[in-house]
Every structure is written in C-alpha cells, then in structure tokens.
Amino acid sequence: MTRLRMRRGLLALLAGVPGMALVGACAAQPVGFRVSLSMNEEQRAPLSVSFTAQAPAEYRVEWDFGDGGTGQGRRVTHTYYRPGTYTLRASLLDARGRVRSTATSQVEVASSGPERAGLVLLLGDGEVRLSAAGSVVYRPTTPSFTLDGRAVGAEPVPVPAGQHRASVRLTGTGGALEQSLTFRMAPLTLSVPFETEVLRLTNQARARGWNCTTLQGGGPALPPLTRDPTLEVAALAQSAGMALHGYFDHQSPVDGSTPWLRVQAAGFEAQTTAENIAAGQTTPEEVVAGWLRSPGHCRNIMGDFTRLGVSYVSGPDSEYGRYWTQVFATPAPGP
C-alpha cells in the first residue's frame, strides 16, 4: 500500500486596484476574484503548477508567473524549471483592457538536486513503453529513446522474449544526460475477467460502506470507482515487472519507479494516487478479501478516489505465480 498526493491551495483572494488613469469623473472599481493552485506537494523543480481563476465572465485573466513566463485564460498550467522563489501575479482585465484587480502570491520551488535522466519502463504483454518521468532537467527538453540500439518513440514497442536494453537521452543546462538499463521480457498470461471482477468487488465494498476497523459493512456508502485505461497501463507495468523480475515491492528495482512515477509515465495527471499489490492469490475474491482485511490496503479501497486501474498477471516461472495490482487516482484539475 502506498499513497501520494498533490498539494492544493488558494493564493491572494482580493487585491487592491493598481495605479491607473482616471476616466471621466470616476475611476474603475476593483472586482474581487479568487485564484487557486494545484501542484505536487514536494514542490520540487521542474514543477508543473495548475492555476485557476474564478472571476466574472465579462473579464479576462492575464498571468505573470514571475520567471519570465506569461499566460492568459481562467485555467493555465505553467512549469517552473529552476528552483527559487517566484512572485505570481494574476490580473483581471475588463473589455477595454483596463486592469480592475490583481492577485499576487509567492511560489516556492525547491531544488531536486543535480540534473539527471530518468527512465521508466511501462512493461506490458509483449511490449514496452519508455518514459522520461522522474528526470530532473532545469530547462525545457525533449527526451530521445533507444531500445536495443534503435531509436523509438514514447508509444508501445513490441519486444520478443529475452533480455533488452533501453536508454534515454536529454539535454540539461550542462549538456547531455543519459540513462540506460536492462530488462527481461517473457510470455505472460493476463485475465480481463479477473480484473473486471476485482473492480466489481472493490465497488461492492464501497457501496456497502466497509469499515476498515471493524471489518464489516454498514458505514457510509461511497461512489463507485471508474475503470481507467491509462491507470491500467501503470497497473500492468507493476504486475508485469514483479512477475518478470522476481520482486514484490511498490518500488521497482529495475528502473527505480514508484507508483506515482508509473502513473505519471502512463500519462495520467493525478491529484492523488495510491497502489495496492498482492501476489499468490488465485481468485479475485481471495485478493480483494485480503486487501479489505489489511488496514492500509483497505483505506485505499475506501479512499477518496474516483478512478481505478486493475491488473492481473500470471508468470509461469515467477516466484508467486500470480500478481495483482490496483492503482487508485483522482485526476488533477485541468488547465
């Protein structure tokens, strides 16, 4: 069981009117508006922050992010590539382009340490996707990938059974950054009916108001989780990784990825995420019952999430034979 979260908050709610010329006999009156933000709670560079302004429909919003970047619109996303303290300024303008109100706040961005290339393997059924999630690069850059010496993109790539080598290359502020690693591919058995039944049993527990302390139903019912195909990519990568490489842990010893990184690598922008894993159980009923009787896993099943990815993988040569993964998430507010 593991859980990670995005940080949300409010910036300045109201600010005074900046200096402006008077028009006629009176000056424009200030208009109140709210600005909220959502970002990774660690607040480390490169840091992507989503900003949302709530303001009357007849006004437009302009943004000065404090690092030389600007934007327009009620919902915007900006990436701070370097650590530092930045003064965000949101301005509310009327139809004539006059600034009616401003909101300002400090955005603190911590360092992630030295620049480095990160490589996440999203293993699948006879295929792999490569991602640079987890890289630390203090400038905009586009990763390039190779698989067994040939250039590939970020889309799924078929791979035969055997050993393989993947690499990523990025350009940092000081030059090229690279990482390479090896991984194993072998035939796996998946079961969509098993995965569908895990989803059904999970939502059944939520509907019953399962109590993780008393281990019985009767509490407040929770809404069902929606199966999400992007989260299933992350779930499959975890189940396949454990089956193919002989480990049982939330962090992969192959690429160092965590549940949060796998969700990010799959392309899901999450506000919160959590992961349950299990190994050896033969049926969906057995694995869900085990999770519901484990406090940490149960809290994830009964958590404040809206989406779920499920994966079941059977590897004939693996230690436990059968591997199960649940990936929970709530989407981050969109730009």
Side-chain angles (χ1 to χ4, degrees):
M1 178 279 298
T2 187
R3 180 187 292 249
L4 288 169
R5 180 174 299 274
M6 295 286 283
R7 176 178 176 269
R8 303 180 68 184
L10 288 175
L11 303 185
L13 302 184
L14 278 173
V17 180
M20 61 177 69
L22 296 180
V23 179
C26 63
Q29 296 299 311
V31 178
F33 71 114
R34 297 166 65 92
V35 175
S36 60
L37 61 84
S38 176
M39 58 185 168
N40 187 297
E41 64 180 0
E42 293 185 347
Q43 295 183 228
R44 295 186 181 277
L47 177 67
S48 180
V49 185
S50 296
F51 300 99
T52 302
Q54 298 178 351
E58 62 270 25
Y59 297 93
R60 73 173 191 268
V61 182
E62 293 186 349
W63 305 83
D64 181 339
F65 300 113
D67 63 350
T70 60
Q72 295 186 16
R74 295 172 184 273
R75 292 186 176 183
V76 297
T77 297
H78 182 71
T79 299
Y80 292 94
Y81 285 96
R82 292 178 176 271
T85 300
Y86 301 95
T87 300
L88 171 76
R89 181 184 183 92
S91 300
L92 195 66
L93 286 75
D94 62 21
R96 298 176 61 181
R98 298 178 300 178
V99 177
R100 297 295 300 272
S101 290
T102 61
T104 61
S105 182
Q106 300 295 307
V107 178
E108 301 285 345
V109 183
S111 173
S112 295
E115 289 186 309
R116 59 187 181 274
L119 181 58
V120 177
L121 301 173
L122 294 174
L123 299 172
D125 185 17
E127 65 181 27
V128 66
R129 306 184 194 191
L130 305 181
S131 169
S135 299
V136 176
V137 183
Y138 297 130
R139 52 156 290 173
T141 185
T142 301
S144 59
F145 302 103
T146 61
L147 180 60
D148 296 330
R150 62 187 178 94
V152 297
E155 68 280 357
V157 182
V159 287
Q163 294 290 326
H164 300 275
R165 185 172 182 82
S167 300
V168 63
R169 180 185 176 95
L170 306 101
T171 302
T173 58
L177 302 167
E178 297 184 64
Q179 180 176 340
S180 298
L181 51 85
T182 59
F183 66 96
R184 175 176 177 262
M185 183 60 67
L188 297 171
T189 300
L190 284 61
S191 174
V192 173
F194 271 15
E195 295 167 355
T196 301
E197 182 65 2
V198 168
L199 173 66
R200 188 190 71 81
L201 293 170
T202 297
N203 281 334
Q204 182 183 79
R206 291 172 63 87
R208 291 176 58 194
W210 184 263
N211 187 307
C212 297
T213 300
T214 63
L215 302 182
Q216 61 184 3
L222 297 176
L225 300 170
T226 300
R227 192 168 184 173
D228 188 281
T230 305
L231 293 180
E232 300 218 322
V233 172
L236 177 56
Q238 172 67 334
S239 291
M242 291 188 294
L244 291 168
H245 294 94
Y247 66 91
F248 184 69
D249 198 288
H250 290 291
Q251 183 168 7
S252 166
V254 181
D255 59 9
S257 64
T258 61
W260 181 271
L261 274 182
R262 288 188 289 273
V263 169
Q264 181 184 347
F268 190 99
E269 295 294 330
Q271 176 179 312
T272 58
T273 185
E275 180 182 86
N276 284 346
I277 58 175
Q281 295 82 359
T282 59
T283 66
E285 292 77 11
E286 182 183 1
V287 73
V288 174
W291 280 331
L292 287 173
R293 285 167 172 76
S294 169
H297 299 90
C298 183
R299 283 194 295 270
N300 284 341
I301 289 176
M302 302 303 294
D304 186 20
F305 300 104
T306 60
R307 309 284 182 85
L308 180 68
V310 182
S311 174
Y312 164 84
V313 164
S314 174
D317 298 327
S318 58
E319 180 179 358
Y320 295 101
R322 299 172 175 86
Y323 297 83
W324 309 77
T325 301
Q326 287 182 310
V327 177
F328 306 82
T330 298

